[in-house]
């Protein structure tokens, strides 16, 4: 089994010192995960294109955008111009997901879908030919600090069985006691926030995660 991929959530970094944080966290990150939204699909905004563009020259590590927006095509061009490499969209947006995926593929971007706890895993089937990653949300989307839902691990296993050619990642509820469970369930990667960003010994925390 390949080493666990760490898609480090910048939301949990020190937002007042992002340049220093990206440099500090770079040895831990296989990619940097940026959450963005429109204030409608989920009730917050977070990262925006001009900020991404300012951060992009600071590192060559992949920038991954999780865009939680009702109308993703309204926002995607500006984010891609800012330097985003990979985009995950919520399957719950409906038909707009299909058009957005086509747009991203035409621009040569890596694509994925997120799926929340209330959506049946089988609903991903209509998109599997156009995505390489499925991000399972183990907590309510857009809310920090929640515990991993008890159904998260079985759903990860189901996604792995249904879609063996796609990577399954876990986002939400990423804690020291939950990562081994998610790994056993079959995740290829996680979206760690405070687990990595607030680690007292970053190197040791990353070594442990990579050993799972």
């Amino acid at each position: 089994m390949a080493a666990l991929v760490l898609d480090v959530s910048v939301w949990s970094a020190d937002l007042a010192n992002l340049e220093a944080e990206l440099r500090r966290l770079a040895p831990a990150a296989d990619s940097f995960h940026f959450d963005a939204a429109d204030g409608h699909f989920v009730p917050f905004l977070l990262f925006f294109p001009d900020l991404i563009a300012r951060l992009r020259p600071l590192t060559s590590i992949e920038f991954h955008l999780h865009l939680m927006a009702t109308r993703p095509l309204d926002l995607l061009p500006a984010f891609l111009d800012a330097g985003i490499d990979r985009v995950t969209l919520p399957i719950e947006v409906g038909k707009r997901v299909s058009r957005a995926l086509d747009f991203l593929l035409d621009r040569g971007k890596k694509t994925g879908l997120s799926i929340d706890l209330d959506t049946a895993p089988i609903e991903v089937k209509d998109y599997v030919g156009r995505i390489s990653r499925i991000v399972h949300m183990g907590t309510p989307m857009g809310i920090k600090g929640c515990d991993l839902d008890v159904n998260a691990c079985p759903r990860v296993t189901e996604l792995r069985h249904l879609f063996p050619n796609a990577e399954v990642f876990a986002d939400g509820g990423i804690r020291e006691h939950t990562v081994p469970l998610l790994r056993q369930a079959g995740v290829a990667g996680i979206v760690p926030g405070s687990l990595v960003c607030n680690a007292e010994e970053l190197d040791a925390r990353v070594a442990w995660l990579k050993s799972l």
Side-chain angles (χ1 to χ4, degrees):
M1 182 184 295
L4 188 68
V5 178
L6 305 183
D7 183 28
V8 176
S9 175
V10 183
W11 190 7
S12 292
D14 181 353
L15 298 179
N17 297 283
L18 283 178
E19 178 173 356
E21 284 288 79
L22 259 60
R23 298 191 192 284
R24 180 180 73 89
L25 295 168
D30 295 299
S31 56
F32 282 118
H33 183 105
F34 294 91
D35 287 300
D38 58 1
H40 299 285
F41 188 79
V42 291
F44 63 85
L45 299 172
L46 275 178
F47 294 98
F48 54 96
D50 284 351
L51 180 55
I52 299 294
R54 176 64 184 86
L55 297 175
R56 180 66 280 184
L58 303 178
T59 178
S60 61
I61 293 172
E62 179 179 278
F63 276 14
H64 173 203
L65 175 71
H66 186 191
L67 181 59
M68 293 163 278
T70 303
R71 300 173 62 90
L73 278 174
D74 289 351
L75 300 173
L76 279 174
F79 275 111
L80 297 194
D81 290 345
I84 289 294
D85 304 295
R86 178 190 295 272
V87 178
T88 291
L89 301 168
I91 192 173
E92 293 79 17
V93 171
K95 292 182 179 179
R96 293 190 177 107
V97 166
S98 185
R99 294 193 291 272
L101 288 175
D102 288 343
F103 172 79
L104 290 167
L105 291 170
D106 285 344
R107 293 283 293 266
K109 300 300 178 180
K110 302 172 186 176
T111 59
L113 291 177
S114 64
I115 179 170
D116 70 23
L117 290 160
D118 296 324
T119 301
I122 193 63
E123 293 193 22
V124 177
K125 65 179 176 59
D126 293 334
Y127 305 96
V128 290
R130 289 181 287 169
I131 63 171
S132 59
R133 182 178 294 179
I134 303 166
V135 179
H136 182 267
M137 305 302 300
T139 59
M141 197 174 297
I143 300 176
K144 292 174 69 174
C146 297
D147 289 333
L148 186 70
D149 190 274
V150 295
N151 295 312
C153 289
R155 285 168 56 86
V156 164
T157 300
E158 183 178 2
L159 285 165
R160 288 286 299 117
H161 289 159
L162 287 171
F163 311 111
N165 294 324
E167 300 176 314
V168 178
F169 274 52
D171 188 358
I174 305 300
R175 305 284 184 267
E176 192 168 356
H177 67 283
T178 62
V179 177
L181 301 176
L182 289 163
R183 186 61 160 162
Q184 291 170 15
V187 296
I190 56 172
V191 182
S194 59
L195 183 66
V196 165
C197 294
N198 297 343
E200 292 185 5
E201 297 183 14
L202 183 59
D203 291 346
R205 177 60 50 83
V206 170
W208 171 71
L209 288 169
K210 292 292 187 178
S211 73
L212 295 175

